[in-house]
Amino acid sequence: MAFMPPLANGNPPDWASEWGQDEHGLFVGFTIAGVTQRMRWMAPGRFRMGSPADEPGRDDNEGPVHEVTISKGFWLFDTPCTQALWRSVMGNNPSRFQSPDRPVEQVSWNEAQGFITRINSMVPGLSLALPTEAQWEYACRAGTDTALYTGPIDIDGDGKATALDPIAWYDGNSKGETHPVRVKAPNGWGLYDMLGNVLEWCADGRRNYSSAPLVDPIGETDNGANRSLRGGSWDYAARNARAAFRRWFHPDLRGGSIGFRCVQGQAGPAGGAERSLPQSPRLAERRGAAGMTAP
């Protein structure tokens, strides 16, 4: 089945203040009190979630690797929520490292939900939420199946990884603080700071992996359940700044290394969208052999 790409009819959502397409794909943005947040289109597709047993820095909770289908497209913030956006919505700034262009931090999962409730009431039709853990990893990998979206990771005896320097702030290069968003290189789908800078809350909690293929999996969502944090942060080691890294914490937890980014919509403004973007040769081979759809 062929899908019409979002925005193909030239009619952006009513809440959009910018929209277009570039080398990374489709984007759309909204503006509140002079602060614009861009989002990138994540088309439906399949990927291999988790990490192989021989990946450096791996934890047992990252396996086994299993095929996951993301059945519906969605828009995703191209950066973690910034302090400027948080202040424009909430009227305060809880962050330890104060600067409008840095990620907001010291925000619990419950407080992120409060932000989402308020911003959705301010912008009719926006309908933001937190991404599921599967959506987050799908977007982070951007068509790759290696430890980093730029390739494998090699962690030296001091716990550092030079492959992270172009793409992530972690304890080996952050100098003990967060940094402005969009400084490091984005992944292939135009997303910044998916690894490092701040950990990012997900909508769901623990899900024990198995080798069975799944469609739109989701972990625990009961009230009070621990929620997933992904991506590593400025004060985490190199081994934590990998696409498969996962941890779970109480939804009231806050800290200077914890932030979030939001997802918008579950089907997109016009259904799915085909895209052709860089991907690892190994993943391309798997898709070709299994008849998998490109994201």
Side-chain angles (χ1 to χ4, degrees):
M1 177 180 179
F3 293 103
M4 180 181 293
L7 311 180
N9 60 5
N11 296 316
D14 291 341
W15 43 260
S17 59
E18 64 169 20
W19 58 91
Q21 185 170 7
D22 59 19
E23 70 272 20
H24 297 298
L26 298 167
F27 65 87
V28 68
F30 63 89
T31 301
I32 295 179
V35 179
T36 298
Q37 177 64 56
R38 179 170 287 189
M39 295 184 282
R40 289 285 178 175
W41 175 245
M42 306 290 109
R46 299 179 188 170
F47 75 111
R48 292 177 63 80
M49 190 168 183
S51 63
D54 61 351
E55 182 169 297
R58 179 187 191 264
D59 290 316
D60 288 344
N61 62 35
E62 298 170 16
V65 175
H66 54 292
E67 181 184 298
V68 168
T69 297
I70 302 297
S71 67
K72 298 175 182 178
F74 56 92
W75 297 101
L76 185 67
F77 279 19
D78 72 339
T79 68
C81 178
T82 62
Q83 294 174 33
L85 181 60
W86 178 277
R87 182 182 288 277
S88 73
V89 173
M90 304 299 284
N92 59 35
N93 186 358
S95 303
R96 172 184 175 187
F97 304 106
Q98 299 259 325
S99 179
D101 56 357
R102 297 191 190 199
V104 68
E105 18 89 3
Q106 299 200 131
V107 174
S108 71
W109 186 91
N110 286 325
E111 289 166 336
Q113 296 300 316
F115 168 89
I116 288 167
T117 297
R118 182 171 296 185
I119 196 172
N120 286 341
S121 70
M122 296 170 69
V123 186
L126 189 57
S127 300
L128 296 181
L130 292 177
T132 66
E133 202 179 4
Q135 287 176 321
W136 188 96
E137 187 170 327
Y138 175 67
C140 179
R141 290 188 177 280
T144 68
D145 65 351
T146 47
L148 313 177
Y149 44 76
T150 52
I153 190 170
D154 182 20
I155 303 172
D156 66 24
D158 294 326
K160 296 182 179 180
T162 56
L164 285 172
D165 289 336
I167 63 171
W169 298 108
Y170 75 109
D171 72 356
N173 63 14
S174 69
K175 297 184 179 180
E177 59 183 331
T178 62
H179 290 265
V181 300
R182 296 191 182 92
V183 172
K184 298 292 188 178
N187 71 6
W189 293 351
L191 302 173
Y192 296 85
D193 299 293
M194 289 297 287
L195 300 177
N197 220 354
V198 289
L199 291 154
E200 298 182 10
W201 286 114
C202 293
D204 53 339
R206 183 181 292 271
R207 175 176 67 86
N208 294 325
Y209 290 174
S210 73
S211 58
L214 296 171
V215 177
D216 301 325
I218 189 165
E220 296 181 22
T221 56
D222 294 341
N223 287 339
N226 287 353
R227 305 293 170 150
S228 297
L229 282 165
R230 301 296 299 258
S233 74
W234 62 271
D235 63 344
Y236 271 44
R239 65 184 301 272
N240 305 128
R242 295 175 297 108
F245 167 78
R246 56 203 300 249
R247 289 289 186 273
W248 305 272
F249 292 100
H250 192 277
D252 282 335
L253 178 73
R254 64 172 65 91
S257 60
I258 299 176
F260 68 98
R261 75 178 71 210
C262 293
V263 62
Q264 191 280 333
Q266 300 300 307
E274 296 177 357
R275 71 193 302 168
S276 177
L277 289 167
Q279 56 183 287
S280 74
R282 284 190 294 161
L283 187 58
E285 289 169 4
R286 288 196 187 101
R287 284 181 171 140
M292 296 172 70
T293 57

